[in-house]
Amino acid sequence: MDLRQLRYYIQIVELGSISSAAQALHVAQPSLSQHVANLENELGTALFLRRHNGVQATEAGEVLYRHAKTVLRQVDETRAAVKAQRDTPAGQVTVGLPTSTSRVLAIPLMRAVAMRYPGVRLKLVERSTAELAEAVAAQKADLGICVEVRPHAGMHITHVLDEEIMLVARSDHPGRGPISMEELVELPLVLPGFPNSVRVLYEQALARGGLPLRLVAETASTSISLAAVAAGIGYALQPWSATRGWGTDEANDFVLRSLAPTPLFRRMSLCMSHSASMSRTCQIVGQTLLALMSELISTGAWQGVRPVVTAPAKGVAVGENK
């Protein structure tokens, strides 16, 4: 087993196809298949389930994937430190963000990391709230801002803030201030489908009040839901962050109204994969994320949120020495 084989293996797992990995790696497919066969022979177990549309890692293959990610990350960080002749953070860190959160956090994070840690290369990915925790737990992302996440053995969780979900209406909407659930159910809504956190929390609130659901459309896209609001098609339920950067005069594009009598909040947490928790570079990026989120809240640059002061829900805190 060598580092090249591990890199090849990781690419196959993440693309779910030997042929796709061969194209991405610029390696002949028969050669790549032989590397897989050599690994399986050496380890004495099957690493993939072959399917008509690609391959899927077996349980043993998932174990190898997690360890391979850790080994290659440590090698990359060691190489970078030796080249710089000092032990500075270096290497790639993949950070997953919900679309709404990325509108307030992505650019400040990129700027902070570039200024403080020039050897670190961020890879920012937007995913739905339902997909983010799964990606981190599966080691497909190093860090993620996850929503309503549950404890998982594959990652460490630090609860950070509660974000309010509000009614989003056009600027010509006549109402202002909180809106009751009874009023809200009379409005045509454009909502994400299950298992998006906004949809789950809203339907739970409806169930508590014995109220009906009225939809005009479903979409997983924040941009589409806000476009529908701007076009007068319906109303959306989104956090304040989702409306940032929309249009040319973002302060006047939408009216946001809290739900009454009990506002809806979703818990947002910083999650770090098990392999990333052993990386000093990932820990530093995690610390930077936490500090940045705290700063955005305290300065009012991120509205509609309240900080959470709790111990990590699983494992060690981000950046804790081990």
Side-chain angles (χ1 to χ4, degrees), residues 7-8 15 33 38 44 48 51 59 74 93 125-127 132 134 143 166 179 200 202 224 241 305 309 316:
R7 292 188 191 280
Y8 287 175
L15 294 179
S33 296
N38 291 342
F48 289 108
R51 305 184 186 280
E59 288 189 21
Q74 292 173 340
V93 179
V125 295
E126 284 187 346
R127 302 211 177 171
L132 281 169
E134 181 180 342
L143 300 163
M166 294 178 278
I179 182 172
V200 171
Y202 179 59
I224 292 175
S241 58
V305 294
V309 182
V316 299

Side-chain angles (χ1 to χ4, degrees), residues 75-302:
V75 169
D76 290 342
E77 291 182 8
T78 300
R79 182 181 292 116
V82 171
K83 285 184 177 180
Q85 297 187 15
R86 55 180 180 170
D87 191 15
T88 56
Q92 179 173 289
V93 179
T94 301
V95 181
L97 300 171
T99 302
S100 57
T101 307
S102 70
R103 297 189 175 195
V104 296
L105 195 55
I107 298 305
L109 176 61
M110 292 171 67
R111 183 180 294 119
V113 170
M115 289 179 60
R116 302 171 193 171
Y117 310 109
V120 176
R121 184 175 70 258
L122 286 180
K123 180 180 179 181
L124 299 183
V125 295
E126 284 187 346
R127 302 211 177 171
S128 71
T129 57
E131 295 173 328
L132 281 169
E134 181 180 342
V136 176
Q139 323 296 311
K140 304 292 177 65
D142 301 313
L143 300 163
I145 302 300
C146 302
V147 180
E148 295 295 322
V149 66
R150 297 180 179 180
H152 192 289
M155 61 186 177
H156 303 292
I157 302 169
T158 302
H159 299 311
V160 182
L161 59 86
D162 290 329
E163 184 173 44
E164 186 176 5
I165 306 301
M166 294 178 278
L167 174 71
V168 182
R170 286 206 317 184
S171 57
D172 58 359
H173 175 67
R176 295 295 187 273
I179 182 172
S180 70
M181 291 294 295
E182 289 75 15
E183 293 176 282
L184 181 59
V185 296
E186 297 300 321
L187 301 177
L189 294 178
V190 179
L191 295 180
F194 282 102
N196 183 279
S197 61
V198 171
R199 180 65 174 273
V200 171
L201 290 170
Y202 179 59
E203 293 222 17
Q204 288 174 346
L206 290 178
R208 287 193 295 270
L211 297 171
L213 172 68
R214 182 182 177 191
L215 290 180
V216 66
E218 288 188 0
T219 177
S221 168
T222 299
S223 296
I224 292 175
S225 68
L226 293 179
V229 174
I233 295 172
Y235 299 79
L237 291 176
Q238 294 285 351
W240 174 89
S241 58
T243 64
R244 297 305 87 194
W246 176 269
T248 56
D249 188 8
E250 61 185 48
N252 296 318
D253 278 342
F254 300 112
V255 171
L256 278 74
R257 303 180 66 185
S258 296
L259 277 58
T262 305
L264 282 186
F265 282 90
R266 62 181 187 179
R267 176 65 51 89
M268 305 189 71
S269 307
L270 175 60
C271 298
M272 178 180 289
S273 72
H274 178 72
S275 62
S277 69
M278 294 183 280
S279 161
R280 178 170 176 265
T281 296
C282 289
Q283 288 188 8
I284 287 175
V285 172
Q287 291 172 340
T288 303
L289 256 173
L290 289 176
L292 182 58
M293 294 171 78
S294 177
E295 178 184 346
L296 291 172
I297 295 171
S298 64
T299 60
W302 191 348

